Amino acid sequence: MIGTAFTLLVVLVGISLPVAAALGLMAYVLSERYAFFPMTGAIGELAWNSSNDFILIAAPMFIMMGELMHRSGMSERLFSALTPWFARIPGRLVHTNIAASAIFAATSGSSVATAATIGTVAIPNMDKGGYNRPLFLGSIAAGGTLGILIPPSINMIIYAVLTDTSVADLYAAGFIPGFLLAGLFSLMVLALCLFRPQWAGPRSETSALWRERVSGLKNLLPPLGLFLVVVGSIYAGIATPTEAAALGLMATLGLVAANGQLTVPVLLRAFEGTVRTTCMVMLIVIAAFFLNFVMVSIGLVKAITDTVLALGLSPLGMLIAIVVFYLILGCFMETLSMMIATTPVVVPVIVALGYSPVWWGIVFVILMEAALITPPVGLNLYVVQAVRRGGAFSDLCIGALPFVAMMIVMIGILIAFPQLALWLPALLKA
Amino acid sequence: MSESESLLPPEPWPQRVSRILAWIGGAIILLGCSGLITIDVITRFLFKRGMVESFEISGYALAACIGLGLGFATTSKTHIRVDILLDAFPRPVRVVFDLLAALSLAVIALALAWFCWGTLAQSMAMNAKSVSTLQTPMVLPQSIWWVGIFWFACVAVLLPIQAVLRLLSGDGPGFDALIGSLRVAEEMSQAGVEQASSADGTPR
Amino acid sequence: QTPAPLPSTSFNVVGSIGGLSMYTSREVPFWTEIVPKASGGAIKVQVKPFTELGFKGAEIFRLVSSGTLQFATTVLNYNSGEVPMNEAADLVGLVASVEELEKVIEAIRPAYAKFLEEKHGIKLLGFGTYQAQVLYCRDAFVTIADLKGRKIRASGASQQAFVTHIGASPLNIAFAEVQPALASGVVDCAITGALSGYKSKWHEAAKFISPMPVNFGVAAQLANLKWWNSLDPKVQAFLQTELNKLEKSIFEQARTETQTGINCNTGTGPCSEGAPANMKLVPVTPADEALRKDALTKAILPSFAKRCGPDCVKTWNDTVGKTVNVTLAP
Ligand code: NA
Ligand code: NA
């Protein structure tokens, strides 16, 4: 059954059916072959549920924020202001992508929103600079995943609810690994660009670099102001992370209007971009929820989990087996349903092995980040591809690989030094 | 070129309707989600009281946007296809895969419209209401959502038909513009082919 | 006990919330151990919690009614919008303890079962309940009346009406966002189960707790009527007997868990669920009891009567009303 399922998915996606259709068809086939009650009867309810799920509301608002920044030219000014700062570092704008993602991640609880926002802003600069496309796109898809590791994080909130852990502990625990992972991404990019100088982007020949840097600063102020609105409202106790997204969008709208750039075409193009990306993602999420429903109903998820848990390994061996299990499962499953379907079974095992559920929460979020950028089912890859409008999807699949490698390295570091996650929560409690 | 023409590019009327529905969907996100939530946050900050039940309504707004926008996501070819293998094949095979992709999407859209109608019909039959203070009749948000999904199904069925008609009339670039992979479209636009094909904006 | 010669039967059950003990320590052992064993292996059941299947709650009742699901446990309040009768035994401020709740449920059972069969094609096979839903607050209070002017997260029309009646502001945010919202001060207070609030670490953000039950979260074991009627009468009788036992054990658990929850949150008694927290217990005063009854008669019941309609009001008066000595004007 497991083999049939995955073969089917690989074939359907491989012959380039739309991903949502492939997931939906696979769910239908599994449901017809293995289930013993008509699960198609639940499609309507599942579709309505996922269409108005609070978990997803923040994403389109952040995406629209990015669209407005892009259409009004704010993002272009932001990037031209940042460019001189990275002009001497091989990789240039690729580092900007990672840094901007890490900063934006502190306002957004969703990886899709982070990737869509940064992607909308950054991709127009890709071909101007003559960057290596896979690396540039990979940095956006992977940088976007930081959205769920650096607090606030919707996935951490769900994990906390599913496992009775503290959201505050998880947020504190995600902070250091989040920025460390961003650092690892940058180091890897630097190493690759030193090794392949033709990927490194255009080197600035100007001698007045500092004047450019300083004169560009004023263009950093508007985005900084938006950042303060969103993050400030969360930490001042004015808004929840979802509500903060709404404030951010309204502030962006106000800013664009104040600059006199809020025209009907700007607004309508922003609407088009937002709706396109949102609906593409949502159709996949609806299909994935139905697939999850079928997989849980027919016991597929349990069959896989039981197989791993029955291996009878040492605690560390078991932990590594579970990590590998998630890396593979993450290729095929959408992250939210993967979390809902597996957490209730896996986390008790992790705790029984003697690991802290908060620490595992961080490792698990990194595994979900990897799932977001591993083909064939990788929502962040799709989002960046959708924002890019054209070009080979394989660019993204290749470009994401080195970043997945860094995530695995990060998990290794966390296994060796669990204090990187657990130190800050303990400090804040004391 | 007048402003409204630049807003509405020349395109067949189903594509145009989808675009306008997407505008409505975007406006719903801006006003129905972001606007209402902002009002609630501000009044809560000032008067310790929310005003507009944005928590509930923003969910309906999201659903409405998703329903209304699915058609546009389809006509603008945003539904992601993993085209890694596609390049390896000669054009006739690619045409078959393009058609298969469009047909599979049509099947999914029809199924979605059918089963979501079941949900809407049951809400009508039960006179379903939300549990909140608003007591929203579920028929209201669900019918906007469903109308969008129904349109999505219409578009998803129409696209492969339009495409086959273009293919039969020998309009290969026109076929690609409708349901070919975006990559092909990009190559064409670089070669200046798209202009030629998009000039035929005749409603079908 | 001699195993009855039952015809072999297998079906699917959708259970209650996956992470909570009603599911993990009552429904799972019931369907996977007790029922197969007691039926001599004749009855085989697959059980999954609705949360794991990706449901939100309100659709369970509908899916049982339409026959997509054969058997499910659901919290009745999820559907009180379109089926006001579902709320009849779980109205805010109605009862002060699990014991009282059991009496109310006993009173309404036959009428409610008849209602479900006739109006929704559902067979009622038993009830259940979560722990008492209680108030958690950031800042000190002595009586419930002190909460006037505070922002309280409440879910559903009735809880919100209660909050409004005591002069506070009801807010609705997602359950998952409540704990951080309490921590940052987006809300001042919030209502949830005595034990589930402990498990969700609300005590890290809220420092004061009142044990007064706002309401409970009454659940029911429901089967699609057509499917149920297609079962062998011996199987029906067997299941009904066993489900009665399940109901008793769930109520027993709700009783202990309400107390355990208070103990764990406040450290005032034995806590079997982890390290006790140090919330301050705000004892229920006679004034609180009076306020609860006042809210029930002045705010909750009138709006319930309006939503419910004359037939339903009559049923309520004859059953629940008699038990708690309140009569509703139609
Ligand atoms: Na974040
Ligand atoms: Na993946």
Side-chain angles (χ1 to χ4, degrees), chain A residues 101-111 114 144-154 156 171 235:
Chain A
S101 299
I103 294 169
F104 189 82
T107 71
S108 158
S110 139
S111 284
T114 309
T145 67
L146 293 171
I148 59 172
L149 183 59
I150 295 172
S153 161
I154 287 170
M156 282 187 195
Y171 277 11
Y235 289 97

mmCIF file of all heavy atoms in Angstrom, chain A residues 101-111 114 144-154 156 171 235, ligand 1:
data_model
loop_
_atom_site.group_PDB
_atom_site.id
_atom_site.type_symbol
_atom_site.label_atom_id
_atom_site.label_comp_id
_atom_site.label_asym_id
_atom_site.label_seq_id
_atom_site.Cartn_x
_atom_site.Cartn_y
_atom_site.Cartn_z
ATOM 1 N N SER A 101 14.720 37.638 4.512
ATOM 2 C CA SER A 101 13.809 36.579 4.941
ATOM 3 C C SER A 101 13.840 36.426 6.453
ATOM 4 O O SER A 101 12.806 36.294 7.097
ATOM 5 C CB SER A 101 14.185 35.242 4.299
ATOM 6 O OG SER A 101 14.110 35.326 2.906
ATOM 7 N N ALA A 102 15.059 36.432 7.016
ATOM 8 C CA ALA A 102 15.175 36.253 8.469
ATOM 9 C C ALA A 102 14.473 37.398 9.194
ATOM 10 O O ALA A 102 13.777 37.181 10.191
ATOM 11 C CB ALA A 102 16.645 36.181 8.875
ATOM 12 N N ILE A 103 14.629 38.612 8.674
ATOM 13 C CA ILE A 103 13.987 39.761 9.329
ATOM 14 C C ILE A 103 12.476 39.692 9.152
ATOM 15 O O ILE A 103 11.713 39.865 10.104
ATOM 16 C CB ILE A 103 14.546 41.086 8.753
ATOM 17 C CG1 ILE A 103 16.029 41.215 9.128
ATOM 18 C CG2 ILE A 103 13.756 42.278 9.275
ATOM 19 C CD1 ILE A 103 16.728 42.322 8.404
ATOM 20 N N PHE A 104 12.047 39.389 7.929
ATOM 21 C CA PHE A 104 10.605 39.304 7.699
ATOM 22 C C PHE A 104 9.993 38.165 8.507
ATOM 23 O O PHE A 104 8.851 38.262 8.968
ATOM 24 C CB PHE A 104 10.315 39.102 6.207
ATOM 25 C CG PHE A 104 8.865 39.228 5.869
ATOM 26 C CD1 PHE A 104 8.295 40.474 5.686
ATOM 27 C CD2 PHE A 104 8.056 38.108 5.776
ATOM 28 C CE1 PHE A 104 6.952 40.600 5.403
ATOM 29 C CE2 PHE A 104 6.704 38.222 5.492
ATOM 30 C CZ PHE A 104 6.158 39.476 5.301
ATOM 31 N N ALA A 105 10.769 37.097 8.720
ATOM 32 C CA ALA A 105 10.282 35.954 9.491
ATOM 33 C C ALA A 105 9.882 36.374 10.895
ATOM 34 O O ALA A 105 9.021 35.766 11.511
ATOM 35 C CB ALA A 105 11.350 34.864 9.562
ATOM 36 N N ALA A 106 10.507 37.429 11.395
ATOM 37 C CA ALA A 106 10.164 37.903 12.729
ATOM 38 C C ALA A 106 8.809 38.601 12.760
ATOM 39 O O ALA A 106 8.299 38.922 13.825
ATOM 40 C CB ALA A 106 11.253 38.839 13.248
ATOM 41 N N THR A 107 8.225 38.866 11.594
ATOM 42 C CA THR A 107 6.887 39.466 11.574
ATOM 43 C C THR A 107 5.833 38.459 11.151
ATOM 44 O O THR A 107 4.673 38.597 11.479
ATOM 45 C CB THR A 107 6.810 40.641 10.578
ATOM 46 O OG1 THR A 107 6.851 40.110 9.256
ATOM 47 C CG2 THR A 107 7.940 41.600 10.772
ATOM 48 N N SER A 108 6.245 37.424 10.417
ATOM 49 C CA SER A 108 5.278 36.518 9.812
ATOM 50 C C SER A 108 5.366 35.149 10.448
ATOM 51 O O SER A 108 6.451 34.666 10.754
ATOM 52 C CB SER A 108 5.540 36.414 8.314
ATOM 53 O OG SER A 108 4.996 35.230 7.814
ATOM 54 N N GLY A 109 4.218 34.522 10.652
ATOM 55 C CA GLY A 109 4.205 33.187 11.238
ATOM 56 C C GLY A 109 4.154 32.093 10.195
ATOM 57 O O GLY A 109 4.035 30.932 10.526
ATOM 58 N N SER A 110 4.202 32.488 8.927
ATOM 59 C CA SER A 110 3.997 31.504 7.873
ATOM 60 C C SER A 110 5.138 31.517 6.877
ATOM 61 O O SER A 110 5.640 32.568 6.485
ATOM 62 C CB SER A 110 2.666 31.797 7.179
ATOM 63 O OG SER A 110 2.776 31.645 5.795
ATOM 64 N N SER A 111 5.576 30.336 6.472
ATOM 65 C CA SER A 111 6.683 30.242 5.533
ATOM 66 C C SER A 111 6.263 30.630 4.129
ATOM 67 O O SER A 111 7.031 31.243 3.390
ATOM 68 C CB SER A 111 7.218 28.814 5.507
ATOM 69 O OG SER A 111 7.975 28.575 6.648
ATOM 70 N N THR A 114 6.196 34.341 3.888
ATOM 71 C CA THR A 114 7.540 34.907 3.858
ATOM 72 C C THR A 114 8.162 34.738 2.473
ATOM 73 O O THR A 114 8.701 35.687 1.900
ATOM 74 C CB THR A 114 8.424 34.237 4.929
ATOM 75 O OG1 THR A 114 7.738 34.282 6.180
ATOM 76 C CG2 THR A 114 9.751 34.939 5.066
ATOM 77 N N GLY A 144 12.504 31.695 3.021
ATOM 78 C CA GLY A 144 11.103 31.800 3.417
ATOM 79 C C GLY A 144 10.728 30.829 4.507
ATOM 80 O O GLY A 144 9.923 31.147 5.385
ATOM 81 N N THR A 145 11.345 29.654 4.494
ATOM 82 C CA THR A 145 10.970 28.664 5.520
ATOM 83 C C THR A 145 11.336 29.145 6.925
ATOM 84 O O THR A 145 10.790 28.648 7.901
ATOM 85 C CB THR A 145 11.655 27.304 5.279
ATOM 86 O OG1 THR A 145 13.049 27.446 5.469
ATOM 87 C CG2 THR A 145 11.364 26.769 3.896
ATOM 88 N N LEU A 146 12.259 30.108 7.028
ATOM 89 C CA LEU A 146 12.597 30.645 8.356
ATOM 90 C C LEU A 146 11.364 31.230 9.033
ATOM 91 O O LEU A 146 11.323 31.371 10.252
ATOM 92 C CB LEU A 146 13.673 31.720 8.232
ATOM 93 C CG LEU A 146 15.055 31.229 7.768
ATOM 94 C CD1 LEU A 146 15.966 32.405 7.462
ATOM 95 C CD2 LEU A 146 15.672 30.335 8.828
ATOM 96 N N GLY A 147 10.345 31.566 8.221
ATOM 97 C CA GLY A 147 9.111 32.118 8.773
ATOM 98 C C GLY A 147 8.503 31.291 9.887
ATOM 99 O O GLY A 147 7.858 31.831 10.782
ATOM 100 N N ILE A 148 8.698 29.958 9.855
ATOM 101 C CA ILE A 148 8.094 29.146 10.919
ATOM 102 C C ILE A 148 9.090 28.791 12.016
ATOM 103 O O ILE A 148 8.712 28.208 13.021
ATOM 104 C CB ILE A 148 7.444 27.851 10.374
ATOM 105 C CG1 ILE A 148 8.448 26.987 9.642
ATOM 106 C CG2 ILE A 148 6.254 28.187 9.487
ATOM 107 C CD1 ILE A 148 7.879 25.611 9.263
ATOM 108 N N LEU A 149 10.372 29.126 11.838
ATOM 109 C CA LEU A 149 11.355 28.803 12.883
ATOM 110 C C LEU A 149 11.618 30.023 13.773
ATOM 111 O O LEU A 149 11.730 29.913 14.985
ATOM 112 C CB LEU A 149 12.655 28.309 12.237
ATOM 113 C CG LEU A 149 13.755 27.861 13.189
ATOM 114 C CD1 LEU A 149 13.265 26.727 14.085
ATOM 115 C CD2 LEU A 149 14.989 27.393 12.429
ATOM 116 N N ILE A 150 11.728 31.193 13.139
ATOM 117 C CA ILE A 150 11.917 32.423 13.908
ATOM 118 C C ILE A 150 10.533 32.891 14.363
ATOM 119 O O ILE A 150 9.634 33.036 13.546
ATOM 120 C CB ILE A 150 12.616 33.483 13.035
ATOM 121 C CG1 ILE A 150 14.033 33.006 12.675
ATOM 122 C CG2 ILE A 150 12.661 34.834 13.747
ATOM 123 C CD1 ILE A 150 14.745 33.869 11.671
ATOM 124 N N PRO A 151 10.317 33.106 15.670
ATOM 125 C CA PRO A 151 8.982 33.490 16.127
ATOM 126 C C PRO A 151 8.540 34.841 15.568
ATOM 127 O O PRO A 151 9.399 35.665 15.268
ATOM 128 C CB PRO A 151 9.149 33.567 17.646
ATOM 129 C CG PRO A 151 10.614 33.754 17.873
ATOM 130 C CD PRO A 151 11.302 33.070 16.735
ATOM 131 N N PRO A 152 7.220 35.074 15.424
ATOM 132 C CA PRO A 152 6.105 34.155 15.692
ATOM 133 C C PRO A 152 6.002 33.055 14.643
ATOM 134 O O PRO A 152 6.520 33.220 13.538
ATOM 135 C CB PRO A 152 4.886 35.072 15.594
ATOM 136 C CG PRO A 152 5.294 36.144 14.655
ATOM 137 C CD PRO A 152 6.747 36.374 14.907
ATOM 138 N N SER A 153 5.350 31.970 15.013
ATOM 139 C CA SER A 153 5.262 30.835 14.112
ATOM 140 C C SER A 153 3.943 30.106 14.298
ATOM 141 O O SER A 153 3.641 29.637 15.395
ATOM 142 C CB SER A 153 6.419 29.875 14.376
ATOM 143 O OG SER A 153 6.135 28.607 13.857
ATOM 144 N N ILE A 154 3.169 30.049 13.230
ATOM 145 C CA ILE A 154 1.879 29.370 13.325
ATOM 146 C C ILE A 154 2.071 27.875 13.546
ATOM 147 O O ILE A 154 1.352 27.253 14.324
ATOM 148 C CB ILE A 154 1.051 29.654 12.058
ATOM 149 C CG1 ILE A 154 0.570 31.103 12.116
ATOM 150 C CG2 ILE A 154 -0.141 28.720 11.952
ATOM 151 C CD1 ILE A 154 -0.046 31.619 10.881
ATOM 152 N N MET A 156 4.462 26.432 15.175
ATOM 153 C CA MET A 156 4.792 26.195 16.588
ATOM 154 C C MET A 156 3.542 26.267 17.448
ATOM 155 O O MET A 156 3.385 25.502 18.406
ATOM 156 C CB MET A 156 5.814 27.221 17.070
ATOM 157 C CG MET A 156 7.222 26.932 16.623
ATOM 158 S SD MET A 156 8.345 28.088 17.417
ATOM 159 C CE MET A 156 9.811 27.855 16.423
ATOM 160 N N TYR A 171 8.777 29.545 21.185
ATOM 161 C CA TYR A 171 9.240 30.785 20.552
ATOM 162 C C TYR A 171 10.665 31.098 21.000
ATOM 163 O O TYR A 171 11.539 31.388 20.175
ATOM 164 C CB TYR A 171 8.314 31.953 20.923
ATOM 165 C CG TYR A 171 7.061 32.060 20.087
ATOM 166 C CD1 TYR A 171 6.677 31.039 19.227
ATOM 167 C CD2 TYR A 171 6.251 33.191 20.153
ATOM 168 C CE1 TYR A 171 5.519 31.145 18.476
ATOM 169 C CE2 TYR A 171 5.090 33.308 19.405
ATOM 170 C CZ TYR A 171 4.734 32.279 18.559
ATOM 171 O OH TYR A 171 3.594 32.396 17.816
ATOM 172 N N TYR A 235 4.282 42.246 20.219
ATOM 173 C CA TYR A 235 4.952 42.186 21.515
ATOM 174 C C TYR A 235 4.423 43.220 22.502
ATOM 175 O O TYR A 235 4.624 43.090 23.702
ATOM 176 C CB TYR A 235 6.479 42.262 21.331
ATOM 177 C CG TYR A 235 6.979 40.972 20.729
ATOM 178 C CD1 TYR A 235 7.196 40.837 19.360
ATOM 179 C CD2 TYR A 235 7.149 39.830 21.521
ATOM 180 C CE1 TYR A 235 7.598 39.636 18.800
ATOM 181 C CE2 TYR A 235 7.545 38.629 20.980
ATOM 182 C CZ TYR A 235 7.765 38.537 19.618
ATOM 183 O OH TYR A 235 8.147 37.330 19.067
HETATM 184 NA NA NA D 1 8.074 33.849 12.061
#
